[in-house]
Amino acid sequence: MYSVGSEVRNVPSISQTGDVTLLGIEDTKIALVRNAKKLLLDPLGQGSYIWPSLSPDRQRIVAYEMSRGAFVCDLEGTVSTQLGKKDAAVWTRDGKWLVYMDDKDDGHRILSSELYCVSPDGKHTTQLTDTRDVVELYPQCSPTEDMIVCSTLGGEIYLLTYKEVRP
């Protein structure tokens, strides 16, 4: 599925009412298709967005606005949580957590990065990695297993398995 201007092309013929597809970013806004209609969201107003991710239940989006940080919003663009600097956040497969990278740089290069998770309401944060010699970047969560994959500055790929532990 793709769009040319405001026209959505190659929509699957078995598309159901209520189907949502996140297209990505278009003209600095969050582009999605809902009910075979393309929408551009600007949840924070006058925003320049990157890293949008659709929740597993297809009801919420986490994205990053360049000057205001990460946030969670619904499909109408109503913001429920502003999370701050939580880079490249993505949903875990059950939608209970957002995994993100906490990277540090000197303005020219990345010096370090660790992976964390935060609850979508921003109330609970847990550090997932603590490595001085590995710079974990751009996490992605498996949609079927409790696994996270990330890359490093050197191009290596790491696969992490996690288990939610309740206190």
Side-chain angles (χ1 to χ4, degrees), residues 19-39:
D19 275 356
V20 176
T21 301
L22 182 63
L23 297 175
I25 301 298
E26 182 176 320
D27 296 328
T28 73
K29 306 306 176 226
I30 301 167
L32 60 93
V33 174
R34 187 175 56 212
N35 299 325
K37 293 186 181 178
K38 184 170 123 186
L39 304 169

Side-chain angles (χ1 to χ4, degrees), residues 59-132:
Q59 299 298 310
R60 298 174 291 171
I61 296 170
V62 63
Y64 195 93
E65 199 284 320
M66 297 299 289
S67 63
R68 292 172 268 191
F71 62 92
V72 176
C73 69
D74 64 18
L75 299 181
E76 302 297 322
T78 302
V79 175
S80 59
T81 312
Q82 291 200 5
L83 299 167
K85 187 183 180 308
K86 311 267 189 277
D87 293 352
V90 294
W91 299 91
T92 56
R93 71 184 185 107
D94 60 9
K96 292 180 181 178
W97 297 94
L98 297 163
V99 177
Y100 66 95
M101 62 183 195
D102 181 23
D103 54 312
K104 310 285 189 253
D105 64 64
D106 64 5
H108 300 285
R109 61 188 175 97
I110 296 173
L111 302 173
S112 66
S113 181
E114 301 295 343
L115 298 185
Y116 286 77
C117 64
V118 63
S119 58
D121 63 8
K123 293 180 180 177
H124 306 282
T125 302
T126 299
Q127 187 169 354
L128 299 176
T129 63
D130 186 12
T131 55
R132 291 179 185 231

Side-chain angles (χ1 to χ4, degrees), residues 46-57:
Q46 304 288 314
S48 182
Y49 304 96
I50 57 175
W51 300 321
S53 176
L54 185 62
S55 64
D57 66 3

Side-chain angles (χ1 to χ4, degrees), residues 115 137-142 147-151 157-160:
L115 298 185
L137 301 168
Y138 306 107
Q140 291 294 312
C141 295
S142 169
M147 300 179 97
I148 302 165
V149 66
C150 65
S151 60
I157 302 296
Y158 281 79
L159 183 63
L160 297 87

